[in-house]
Amino acid sequence: MISTLIKPLLTEKMTSMTSLRQYAFSVNINSNKIEIAKAVEKKFNVEVLSVRTVNVKGKLKGQMTKKGRVEGRRPSWKKAFVTIKEGQTIDLLPTA
């Protein structure tokens, strides 16, 4: 079985969105909103109110080598913004 949630996105903007009860995850590109909501509810034991998804296109990258310029592309991926019920939180940072 392919995992729906790949990793949480821990950026400055995403950590400021936690006050709005919104969390962001990198998810499998083939997963839909229903699968994402069920995966978050099961993994973190919270109630999901809404899920918004964004398909992020991979960037073109180039590199100069001895044989000339080599073009490549980073992989495309999917981002999901999950809003949870008021009064609930998700602890994404591990505590030591």
Side-chain angles (χ1 to χ4, degrees):
M1 183 176 150
I2 298 173
S3 177
T4 303
L5 299 176
I6 296 174
K7 64 180 180 179
L9 298 177
L10 298 173
T11 62
E12 188 174 347
K13 183 176 181 178
M14 295 303 129
T15 52
S16 67
M17 288 175 61
T18 57
S19 62
L20 302 171
R21 303 177 328 272
Q22 292 184 350
Y23 298 88
F25 297 93
S26 175
V27 296
N28 185 342
I29 202 157
N30 296 321
S31 58
N32 59 29
K33 293 180 181 185
I34 297 168
E35 293 171 347
I36 295 167
K38 287 180 181 178
V40 171
E41 287 176 349
K42 184 177 179 183
K43 184 168 185 172
F44 297 107
N45 198 20
V46 293
E47 186 177 334
V48 175
L49 297 178
S50 70
V51 177
R52 294 179 297 135
T53 59
V54 178
N55 288 318
V56 181
K57 283 186 70 172
K59 293 182 180 179
L60 281 175
K61 291 292 183 177
Q63 181 178 7
M64 289 299 296
T65 63
K66 289 181 181 179
K67 295 183 180 182
R69 187 164 174 85
V70 175
E71 291 287 333
R73 180 180 284 275
R74 287 193 178 163
S76 298
W77 56 288
K78 192 174 207 176
K79 186 190 309 188
F81 297 97
V82 178
T83 305
I84 60 173
K85 190 175 179 182
E86 192 168 350
Q88 297 179 340
T89 59
I90 296 176
D91 186 24
L92 297 176
L93 295 173
T95 53

